[in-house]
Amino acid sequence: MATHDVFNVPRPWSGANVFTSDRLLGQALARAQVSPAELTSLTALGALAGSERAQDDARLANAYPPVLRTHDRYGHRIDEVEFHPAWHELMSVAVSHGLQAAPWAPGSTGNAHLVRAAGFYVWGQVEQGHCCPISMSYAVLPALRHSPELAARYEGGLLARNYEFGLAEPSSKAGLLAGMAMTEKQGGSDVRANTTHAVAAGDGSYRITGHKWFCSAPMCDLFLVLAQLPEGLSCFLVPRVLPDGSRNVFALQRLKDKLGDKSNASSEVEFDDTVGWLIGEPGRGVRTILEMVTMTRLDCVIGAAGLQRAALVQAAHHVTGRAAFGHRLAEQPLMREVIADLVIEVDAATALFTRLASAVDRGENAFLRLAVAAGKFFVTKRSAAVVGEALECLGGAGYVEESPLPRYFRESPLNSIWEGSGNVMALDVLRAVRRDPESVSALRDELATTDGADPRLDAATDELATVLTGLGSDPVADARQARRLAALITQCVQASVLVRASVGTESNDLAEGFLASRLGGPLRSVFGASAALDGARSDELAARVLDEA
């Protein structure tokens, strides 16, 4: 009908290569001298991520969420979860590209964690829910290796790049995935308050009894479970199917009705004489999972950066394809200020996660102890603001469910809550400063690489040094400024990375934009309101994403 001509609106975004269009990510991998074969693989993944098929799989996996089947039609307990085929397609791509375990494989390259982080960031821009079991599988291997016998039994399946859905004896499957069941109603992040308990069975295994309030991805093959022994909280490996082929007791009570990540099944589970095997030493469960927690927290930073980037790309696509008041939105000065400010935020998050992933490759554990916790606190917490601003760039078109922006917005708080909410993370930063002087020294060494490079960065690092020096005399006062400490650490590291990356390049607009808008004064809560960016610099920063839209 002539009255319903569609004009002045862009077509739905698809067709771009998510990897090759990300200038900063490509530069970070080039500096790390990532191999041509790895770049080729990431390019292929980026093409998939930008395809119309992938975007539709993301929509379908969330429009048709998983369904719990506790019993079969004859009344037998089965405790299975059904997923839409789109979920399986997303999982298959992730596993085939090694996002669940590639860095732990024998013969992996010196940049294995960085390459995997780049892939997780690229593919996570498609859909975040399925990234949960992928992330947990990636994180479980360091903990599993505390028990060489269990690692020998299951590691091959976890490393395999084959996605095989369904419950079966693990050795019969072409590929395995791992989940976790840690938190309980009364404790949440305070896992030491757990009441689930285990007793030795006399055959090397244990019998676990209790309830877990949050068990993510219950159709995985293996789970890390925390339970109490007389020696204290301990870590156990619990398979869904036992070596004799019988099903372990893993009673799914319900699936969570969550704010976001609707595609992923998160459940409550009851254990009743459930079989498990001890990982690590009795009473040292928290110590056993520390490496795992570092990996999952790093993935929260990566996932948050990917979600922010996906939202920014949608905003850039819309404003380049729509006009108002006689000009394209992308040509209007105030919109360019908003886009430029969002570019600074997203690229700073990208710069941080690539630095952290490289630190994993280099074994910089002392630096990671502080930087991952601080980065997880700050970057994830910025997601709701970034996604909300990107949504507003689309106006009403961003608020309707046909747009992916509402899904992104619902997902935006998750990475901040998962693996330790804001206060937990900030207090963990404070705890590391108090108990781990090597981590503070490593942080200072990191920031010393850019001493004298810019007075604003120097002022920020001086402020950080003053805060660190003043800690310890009053525990209550220290706790009150834990969030400030975590944010300051993150922004100093981001600035240092961006300044180092700008050396020898034709343009330092990104580094200068960050220094001017983030360290040149208080961080403003409204994007596009920084007086520190002049028009030319805003245009250059906005072009980083608008030129690719």
Side-chain angles (χ1 to χ4, degrees), residues 177-230:
L177 292 171
M180 301 174 193
M182 306 288 187
T183 60
E184 299 181 8
K185 295 186 291 288
Q186 73 285 351
S189 296
D190 184 11
V191 293
R192 294 186 188 278
N194 285 3
T195 60
T196 297
H197 65 276
V199 295
D203 60 359
S205 67
Y206 289 76
R207 299 297 182 269
I208 300 170
T209 301
H211 172 274
K212 294 295 180 181
W213 188 81
F214 211 95
C215 171
S216 195
M219 288 304 289
C220 287
D221 303 283
L222 311 166
F223 292 82
L224 291 190
V225 175
L226 290 176
Q228 300 285 358
L229 286 174

